[in-house]
Amino acid sequence: MEGEGASARSGYPSSPSSAAPHPNPNPFREAEKKYQLHYDQVMAFSKGKLRGKGEFRERPTDLSEVLDFRSAEPPPGAAALETEAVPSAAAARGLYTLDGHPGFYFVSGLLDESAVEDLAGEILSEHIEPPATSNFTREHGTRIRGLWGAARRGLFYRPGAGGGAGGELPAGGQGCWSAADHPAASQTPAQVLLDRLRWVSLGPQYDWTRRVYRDDVPCRGLPRRLKELADALVRDLRGASGRVQASGGYSADAALLNFYGSKDTLGGHKDDAELDLSQPLVSVSLGCDAVFLLGGTTKGVRPTAMLVRSGDVVVLSGRSRSCFHGVPRIFSKTPRRGGVAGGGKRSPSPSPSLRGYLDEHRINVSVRMVGRGAAGGGGGGEEDGGAGVGA
Ligand SMILES: O=C(O)CCC(=O)C(=O)O
Ligand SMILES: [Fe+2]
C-alpha cells in the first residue's frame, strides 16, 4: 500500500506571507478531515461557575455530498447496470458505475444480513487464526489463537502462562487464556485484544514494512467463499460490460481483512504491491456503515465520498484500480457516550455476540489477485505512514 495514515499528519505548512495560500493543497486530505470523527469539548456552567470537567460531544458531520447508493434515486453521476447481465450480482439491490471513475463498480447490498453474519462469523472464528498474520504479529511477534472464542467466553490473556512474546496464545484451557477470577496484574481481557485487532492477511502474507507479499512464510489459501465471490463477480462484470479490464484470467488468491472500531480510519492509499495492477480489487463491507473516499491517481484530485454499508461490494478495476482511496469514518450503531474530558475511555462490554460486534465494528475484506511469486512493492512515492487502520 502506498499512502499515509489518516491520523499521521495534522494541518499544512503555512505558506510564505508574500504568496497567496493555495486554497486546497491536498483535496484528499481535506475530505478526510471533513468526514473524520471530531469531538468538541462542552463545558457545563451553573450560576456562572464551571461545573465538572465538561464533556466531549460528537461534532455533526455534513454528509450532504456523500453519495448514497441506497437512496430512492441513483446518486448524482451514478449509472445503473442491468443486474440480469451480471448473474452473480442478481441478488444485489443495484449495480452502478460512476462518472469520472472508470473501472469502479458499486454493488449495493450484494450480501443480505444473514450472509453478512455467516461471513463475519467465519472470519472471526476461522480466518483470523494462525498461520494468518495480523497487526499483533507485526507489533508483538505474537500470533493469536482462539481470540474470538476467548472474547465470547469473557476470558483473559495472562502473559507468561504458556504464551507470551514470540509465542502463540492457545485456546482457553491451555494456560494462556484464563477465567476472570484469576487476579493477575498484567492480564488483558480477550475483548480488549479483539478491539485491538486491526488487520489480518489471508493467502500470501502481506509485509506492511516492506510493502510486499511474502512467499517465504507459511499461509493458508484464500478461503473458498471469498475466492468464489470475487472470481464470479469479476467474471460476470467483465462479461456484462467488457469494462472490467484484466490481462489474462483473474483468480483471486489473497485478501486483507481490516477491522474498524468506531474511531478507526484507513488513510488514503493505493494498493500497488500486487504483480498485475490490471487485475481488480473486490472489497466487501460487513457491519457498520462507513464513508469511503475514492480519489484520483494523486491526492491532488478531489475524491468522491460515498456511503458503504453492510453487504455492499466495491470493485476497483481499470483506472480506478490505481487511485487513492480510504475510509475516514465509521458509524457505530451503538451510541457513543460522550466521554468526560480528560478520561472517558470506553471499556468493552464483556462477551460480545456476533451481532453486537457488527453493531460496533466494520470488517472490510479486500480480495486481490497477487499472482504467483509476487514480490513487487510498487513504485517509491509516498512512504506508508500507516495505511493500516489507525485510531
Ligand atoms: O475498508 C475499506 O473499505 C477499504 C480497505 C482497503 O482499501 C484495503 O484493504 O486496501
Ligand atoms: Fe486499499
Side-chain angles (χ1 to χ4, degrees), residues 1 208 256-258 260 266-267 269-271 281 283-285 290 292 308 316 325-327 362-366 368 387 389:
M1 279 192 184
W208 293 74
L256 286 177
L257 305 175
N258 285 299
Y260 302 82
L266 179 65
H269 66 278
K270 300 176 184 180
D271 293 273
L281 268 179
S283 171
V284 186
S285 293
F292 180 80
V308 282
L316 299 182
H325 55 277
V327 180
R362 172 171 183 265
I363 303 176
N364 176 263
V365 186
S366 66
R368 301 117 202 275
V389 186

Side-chain angles (χ1 to χ4, degrees), residues 274-287:
E274 296 74 25
L275 263 191
D276 182 354
L277 297 183
S278 75
Q279 298 291 5
L281 268 179
V282 175
S283 171
V284 186
S285 293
L286 310 171

Side-chain angles (χ1 to χ4, degrees), residues 19-355:
H22 192 293
N24 202 350
N26 183 338
F28 198 98
R29 182 73 191 113
E30 289 298 315
E32 287 180 324
K33 286 200 282 186
K34 173 173 176 181
Y35 294 115
Q36 271 163 15
L37 178 61
H38 296 283
Y39 284 103
D40 291 318
Q41 193 171 356
V42 181
M43 309 308 288
F45 289 90
S46 157
K47 294 185 185 148
K49 285 199 175 149
L50 187 61
R51 299 285 165 203
K53 288 184 175 170
E55 226 190 47
F56 286 115
R57 291 224 186 113
E58 215 174 295
R59 189 183 304 164
T61 307
D62 175 7
L63 298 175
S64 58
E65 292 183 349
V66 180
L67 306 187
D68 183 354
F69 288 92
R70 294 203 192 173
S71 58
E73 293 294 318
L81 291 178
E82 289 300 323
T83 47
E84 288 81 65
V86 186
S88 60
R93 292 175 189 224
L95 170 60
Y96 302 92
T97 55
L98 198 54
D99 283 354
H101 297 285
F104 170 83
Y105 294 85
F106 194 99
V107 196
S108 171
L110 180 63
L111 305 185
D112 63 19
E113 270 311 288
S114 101
V116 163
E117 288 190 14
D118 275 2
L119 180 54
E122 195 179 286
I123 286 170
L124 290 166
S125 52
E126 294 173 34
H127 304 334
I128 64 173
E129 292 290 301
T133 54
S134 71
N135 56 298
F136 294 120
T137 327
R138 189 188 187 200
E139 290 157 19
H140 309 295
T142 304
R143 286 171 204 253
I144 293 214
R145 202 180 284 286
L147 177 61
W148 175 240
R152 297 201 66 181
R153 289 163 57 204
L155 299 183
F156 286 68
Y157 168 57
R158 287 196 296 137
E168 290 186 352
L169 309 183
Q174 291 176 26
C176 222
W177 294 118
S178 68
D181 55 3
H182 284 278
S186 56
Q187 68 185 13
T188 310
Q191 201 188 335
V192 170
L193 292 176
L194 184 65
D195 275 347
R196 290 187 197 148
L197 182 65
R198 291 284 178 267
W199 58 261
V200 169
S201 181
L202 302 181
Q205 299 294 288
Y206 187 65
D207 179 333
W208 293 74
T209 310
R210 290 164 46 224
R211 294 175 46 229
V212 295
Y213 289 93
R214 298 182 59 168
D215 50 17
D216 59 338
V217 292
C219 67
R220 280 194 303 263
L222 180 66
R224 198 163 51 102
R225 189 195 291 238
L226 296 176
K227 177 165 174 55
E228 285 175 359
L229 187 155
D231 284 357
L233 189 57
V234 168
R235 183 195 59 226
D236 295 347
L237 278 172
R238 198 185 289 155
S241 68
R243 277 177 288 181
V244 171
Q245 298 158 14
S247 57
Y250 173 83
S251 177
D253 57 9
L256 286 177
L257 305 175
N258 285 299
F259 300 84
Y260 302 82
S262 60
K263 294 178 184 166
D264 294 326
T265 58
L266 179 65
H269 66 278
K270 300 176 184 180
D271 293 273
D272 55 5
E274 296 74 25
L275 263 191
D276 182 354
L277 297 183
S278 75
Q279 298 291 5
L281 268 179
V282 175
S283 171
V284 186
S285 293
L286 310 171
C288 292
D289 297 351
V291 174
F292 180 80
L293 295 178
L294 177 62
T297 51
T298 71
K299 287 194 175 176
V301 177
R302 186 167 178 255
T304 302
M306 61 194 84
L307 271 181
V308 282
R309 293 195 172 89
S310 196
D312 292 345
V313 176
V314 158
V315 177
L316 299 182
S317 73
R319 217 177 74 201
S320 294
R321 177 66 173 83
S322 310
C323 289
F324 276 94
H325 55 277
V327 180
R329 183 66 173 270
I330 303 293
F331 300 100
S332 166
K333 292 208 180 103
T334 315
R336 272 177 287 265
R337 267 175 273 123
V340 173
K345 278 222 163 209
R346 256 180 351 139
S347 53
S349 52
S351 312
S353 64
L354 184 59
R355 193 63 262 163

